[in-house]
């Protein structure tokens, strides 16, 4: 019985040896893999600057709204239409030499629809208007009410909290919504600052008495 037990043990040991070797090899591979993963996290690539980020990111979400039922075939007002972009604002900044790659800035970005609506009344975006959308310093959306909102244009933006929105002059900033209302981004990180989306173009010299969304001159304070 003792001989049989010894033979059985030796036979089982020969059977288990390859499996044990594979197990140790797998453990080593896991250790090596975890080190490689840690190294890759440490060497993560840098983000793009504000200009490059705006050129590639999706703009505000747009819906068919009241013209939806007029389409062929008809669309619901709340049906998604497309994402806006920031190409008009970027082109104006480039044309006027407004640097969106400079360090430590916060850019208030209007989409193409907002730029088109502004231009229909006030003409193309000027250098001063573009510069007015660039705040000196990195300002998180939650800090807009307490931070210095001086722009590279030289003027200071007025902050107000009303209708459960953060207003910067005549526009609201970084506002999430449900379809068919459009959402606007906030705290989008770039390697030289932050980006907040606006629903309207803002401009130097604005005051509450001058009119516009949410101002004293706006008869319909849309929620």
């Amino acid at each position: 019985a003792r001989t049989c037990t010894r033979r059985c043990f030796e036979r089982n040991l020969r059977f288990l040896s390859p499996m044990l070797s594979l197990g140790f090899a797998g453990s080593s591979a896991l250790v090596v893999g975890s080190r490689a993963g840690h190294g890759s996290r440490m060497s993560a690539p840098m983000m793009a600057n504000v200009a490059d980020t705006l050129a590639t990111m999706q703009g505000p979400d747009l819906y068919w709204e009241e013209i939806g039922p007029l389409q062929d075939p008809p669309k619901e007002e709340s049906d998604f239409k497309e994402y806006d972009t920031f190409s008009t604002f970027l082109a104006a900044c480039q044309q006027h030499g407004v640097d969106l790659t400079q360090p430590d800035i916060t850019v208030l970005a209007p989409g193409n629809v907002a730029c088109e609506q502004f231009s229909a009344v006030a003409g193309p975006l000027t250098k001063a208007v573009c510069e007015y959308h660039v705040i000196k310093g990195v300002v998180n959306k939650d800090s807009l009410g307490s931070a210095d909102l001086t722009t590279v244009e030289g003027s200071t933006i007025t902050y107000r909290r009303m209708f459960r929105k953060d207003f910067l002059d005549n526009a609201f900033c970084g506002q999430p919504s449900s379809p068919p209302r459009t959402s606007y981004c906030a705290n989008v990180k770039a390697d030289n600052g932050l980006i907040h989306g606006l629903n309207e173009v803002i401009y130097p010299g604005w005051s509450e008495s001058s009119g516009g969304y949410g101002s004293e001159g706006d008869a319909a304070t849309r929620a």
Side-chain angles (χ1 to χ4, degrees), residues 100-185:
L100 301 183
T101 67
Q102 59 186 295
D104 299 330
I105 57 174
T106 301
V107 173
L108 309 171
N112 289 353
V113 170
C115 292
E116 181 180 332
Q117 292 171 345
F118 176 85
S119 296
V121 176
L125 273 63
T126 64
K127 180 177 182 179
V129 168
C130 291
E131 289 179 332
Y132 194 64
H133 287 77
V134 184
I135 297 173
K136 297 178 180 179
V138 180
V139 183
N140 190 282
K141 181 180 180 254
D142 293 339
S143 301
L144 288 171
S146 58
D148 179 8
L149 302 182
T150 301
T151 69
V152 299
E153 183 271 337
S155 304
T156 301
I157 297 169
T158 300
Y159 171 85
R160 296 167 300 153
R161 176 70 182 176
M162 43 196 277
F163 315 129
R164 295 178 292 180
K165 294 179 173 67
D166 295 297
F167 278 83
L168 299 177
D169 288 357
N170 54 293
F172 58 74
C173 170
Q175 181 66 34
S177 297
S178 299
R181 296 184 177 180
T182 298
S183 294
Y184 299 90
C185 65

Side-chain angles (χ1 to χ4, degrees), residues 86-96:
F86 303 100
S87 60
T88 301
F89 175 67
L90 285 172
C93 289
Q94 184 176 15
Q95 176 187 354
H96 298 302

Side-chain angles (χ1 to χ4, degrees), residues 5-219:
T5 301
R6 182 176 180 179
R7 288 176 179 172
C8 291
F9 175 77
E10 291 175 347
R11 184 168 62 251
N12 290 338
L13 183 61
R14 287 195 300 271
F15 174 77
L16 290 172
S17 293
M19 298 179 64
L20 291 172
S21 298
L22 289 173
F24 287 127
S27 299
S28 300
L30 288 174
V31 172
V32 171
S34 63
R35 288 176 180 172
H38 179 72
S40 63
R41 287 195 297 272
M42 293 296 290
S43 59
M46 294 180 64
M47 294 178 287
N49 60 48
V50 168
D52 291 339
T53 301
L54 282 173
T56 56
M57 67 183 282
Q58 292 176 333
D61 49 329
L62 303 177
Y63 299 87
W64 284 102
E65 299 182 335
E66 67 277 1
I67 65 172
L70 304 178
Q71 305 304 305
D72 184 18
K75 309 283 186 182
E76 294 291 335
E77 292 184 3
S78 59
D79 285 349
F80 174 76
K81 182 181 179 183
E82 61 185 346
Y83 285 106
D84 203 351
T85 71
F86 303 100
S87 60
T88 301
F89 175 67
L90 285 172
C93 289
Q94 184 176 15
Q95 176 187 354
H96 298 302
V98 179
D99 185 9
L100 301 183
T101 67
Q102 59 186 295
D104 299 330
I105 57 174
T106 301
V107 173
L108 309 171
N112 289 353
V113 170
C115 292
E116 181 180 332
Q117 292 171 345
F118 176 85
S119 296
V121 176
L125 273 63
T126 64
K127 180 177 182 179
V129 168
C130 291
E131 289 179 332
Y132 194 64
H133 287 77
V134 184
I135 297 173
K136 297 178 180 179
V138 180
V139 183
N140 190 282
K141 181 180 180 254
D142 293 339
S143 301
L144 288 171
S146 58
D148 179 8
L149 302 182
T150 301
T151 69
V152 299
E153 183 271 337
S155 304
T156 301
I157 297 169
T158 300
Y159 171 85
R160 296 167 300 153
R161 176 70 182 176
M162 43 196 277
F163 315 129
R164 295 178 292 180
K165 294 179 173 67
D166 295 297
F167 278 83
L168 299 177
D169 288 357
N170 54 293
F172 58 74
C173 170
Q175 181 66 34
S177 297
S178 299
R181 296 184 177 180
T182 298
S183 294
Y184 299 90
C185 65
N187 299 326
V188 178
K189 294 182 179 179
D191 63 13
N192 62 320
L194 287 176
I195 300 167
H196 306 311
L198 295 181
N199 76 312
E200 292 186 15
V201 172
I202 58 178
Y203 52 90
W206 179 90
S207 66
E208 290 192 50
S209 61
S210 65
Y213 188 105
S215 69
E216 293 177 355
D218 182 12

